[in-house]
């Protein structure tokens, strides 16, 4: 008798541990405003799934302190898709006013990654395939980095999109033009020795 009770408890514990945990979904409360102070509210999951309103009230504005309705939600309406115009704080005017059939919302975008602290620039001479190039790690704090290299440079290569605008190159002949060749390449004209470089984020 005791053995069967122990086996039953062990089996129950095993099933409990094997059961998957439900994923947690965030929700936001959204208030739908009609005319003459008529309103209703819904708790909407932020996972992109549809939440039906089951309400025929013509909606003239929506409000929420939990989401940016204009950028994170899509209103599915009885007519054509409405325009959402930002009104008072945390409120968006629905134009034209109409019945909302359902709404779907997503969590906000993650914050953008911080800019890199430094970039790598490749300085190419006339024949980089034969070793006529060098690379420098350049901080994005405006520090001047001397190249210490007399190679005449014809092309710069970097994945830093703002190379031509945010970097200051000091040339042996005084000045040169940078012409973008591709997403990560700039031609130096006329080709010449670059004495130093300083870049800002």
């Amino acid at each position: 008798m005791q053995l069967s009770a122990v086996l039953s408890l062990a089996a129950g514990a095993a099933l409990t541990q094997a059961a998957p945990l439900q994923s947690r979904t965030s929700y936001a409360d959204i208030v739908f405003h009609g005319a003459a102070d008529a309103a209703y509210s819904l708790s909407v999951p932020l996972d992109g799934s549809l939440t039906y309103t089951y309400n025929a009230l013509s909606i003239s504005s929506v409000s929420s302190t939990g989401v940016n309705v204009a950028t994170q939600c899509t209103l599915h309406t009885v007519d054509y898709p409405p325009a959402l115009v930002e009104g008072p704080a945390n409120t968006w005017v629905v134009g034209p006013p109409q019945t909302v059939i359902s709404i779907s919302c997503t969590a906000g975008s993650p914050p953008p990654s911080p800019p890199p602290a430094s970039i790598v620039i490749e300085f190419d001479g006339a024949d980089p395939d034969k070793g006529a190039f060098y690379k420098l790690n350049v901080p994005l704090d405006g520090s001047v980095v001397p190249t210490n290299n007399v190679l005449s440079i014809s092309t710069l290569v970097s994945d830093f999109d703002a190379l031509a605008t945010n970097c200051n190159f000091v040339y042996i002949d005084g000045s040169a033009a940078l012409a973008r060749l591709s997403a990560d390449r700039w031609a130096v004209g006329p080709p010449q020795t670059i004495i130093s470089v300083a870049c800002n984020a």
Side-chain angles (χ1 to χ4, degrees), residues 5-23:
V6 169
L7 289 176
S8 295
L9 286 173
L15 286 174
T16 302
Q17 289 178 352
L21 296 174
Q22 285 187 334
S23 60

Side-chain angles (χ1 to χ4, degrees), residues 82-160:
L84 294 175
V85 179
E86 193 163 359
N90 304 314
T91 301
W92 292 265
V93 176
V94 177
Q98 55 189 297
T99 298
V100 175
I101 299 169
S102 63
I103 183 171
S104 59
C105 298
T106 58
S109 301
S113 301
S118 64
I119 60 170
V120 175
I121 302 175
E122 179 181 314
F123 297 75
D124 289 351
D127 200 347
D129 291 338
K130 293 188 177 177
F133 74 94
Y134 62 91
K135 294 181 180 182
L136 288 178
N137 193 358
V138 180
L140 292 177
D141 60 2
S143 301
V144 175
V145 178
T147 64
N148 299 317
N149 197 307
V150 296
L151 182 65
S152 180
I153 303 303
S154 56
T155 308
L156 298 170
V157 182
S158 177
D159 60 4
F160 183 52

